[in-house]
Amino acid sequence: MRSSLRRLSLGLVVVLALGLAACASQVTRRDSAAAAPVPVRALSSFTVTMSPSASLQLADNLKFDPAALQSMIQRALESKSLIAADGDFVLKVVIDDIRVRGTFSAVMFGFLAGDDHLNGTATLVGRDGKDLGSFGVNTSWALGGLAGGQDSARIGWLYEEFSKQLAEELAQRDRKSTRLNSSHSLQS
């Protein structure tokens, strides 16, 4: 009895570890280390475009929908109150690299078939058109089996996580500037 419980526990730990290792996302700041990130109160607008290499990848990634990604980004930015008519910046998002595995490969081979990924660069542009800095957003999903075979789950997670990381980075910049400004206020 104890032996079977121990095996079940070990199996559960392995499954959880593989599940957690199957998905990843990160933001990479590309601004120089000396320059502080520009605080973002709100964006007046944003665009999503495909780089030339990503445009070529679309032929092999028919399940990828740029309009669905743009809609998810819109919702993520709105949820953080980062879009306003009187916003200070325009955000330009360029999708640099995409890959969506075929369903059969995802189910049968899982991470051995590589990962699904969505990578892009976000650039803040001031009202004067000046480039104020950029950062990269990278997301990947490598889970296989039944969970990895759900195309909508894989692609939906990539869209959602990319959008979430993008909005979090912009909101974090505003929180840092607010914290800095409030900690240096004069009191009489």
Side-chain angles (χ1 to χ4, degrees):
M1 179 71 172
R2 285 189 109 195
S3 176
S4 62
L5 276 175
R6 203 173 268 173
R7 280 189 219 145
L8 180 62
S9 296
L10 181 61
L12 184 60
V13 168
V14 169
V15 167
L16 287 173
L18 288 174
L20 293 174
C23 306
S25 64
Q26 74 177 26
V27 170
T28 308
R29 289 171 189 84
R30 297 186 178 157
D31 303 326
S32 68
V38 175
V40 176
R41 180 187 58 80
L43 305 168
S44 59
S45 65
F46 75 96
T47 60
V48 178
T49 58
M50 305 291 285
S51 72
S53 61
S55 293
L56 293 174
Q57 293 171 335
L58 278 177
D60 295 329
N61 296 283
L62 298 175
K63 297 171 188 165
F64 180 78
D65 181 4
L69 175 62
Q70 184 160 354
S71 176
M72 186 67 74
I73 291 172
Q74 174 86 27
R75 288 195 303 270
L77 294 173
E78 287 172 348
S79 75
K80 300 281 185 193
S81 301
L82 287 169
I83 296 183
D86 64 342
D88 304 323
F89 306 99
V90 171
L91 181 68
K92 294 182 179 180
V93 179
V94 177
I95 303 305
D96 301 316
D97 187 21
I98 54 172
R99 178 174 188 250
V100 180
R101 295 172 292 172
T103 304
F104 179 79
S105 295
V107 171
M108 295 306 293
F109 304 115
F111 70 91
L112 296 175
D115 66 353
D116 299 315
H117 58 260
L118 172 58
N119 303 327
T121 303
T123 304
L124 276 174
V125 178
R127 288 184 183 224
D128 59 358
K130 182 179 174 188
D131 181 346
L132 300 172
S134 63
F135 58 93
V137 179
N138 302 316
T139 59
S140 66
W141 169 294
L143 191 61
L146 293 178
Q150 308 278 333
D151 289 341
S152 60
R154 292 189 342 252
I155 296 168
W157 186 87
L158 290 172
Y159 295 160
E160 184 175 348
E161 191 64 20
F162 186 92
S163 302
K164 183 177 91 176
Q165 292 292 330
L166 183 75
E168 281 292 325
E169 174 64 16
L170 295 171
Q172 181 180 16
R173 289 174 177 221
D174 186 47
R175 284 193 302 268
K176 283 182 181 176
S177 72
T178 303
R179 197 169 45 245
L180 288 173
N181 291 338
S182 64
S183 66
H184 292 85
S185 61
L186 294 174
Q187 297 183 2
S188 48

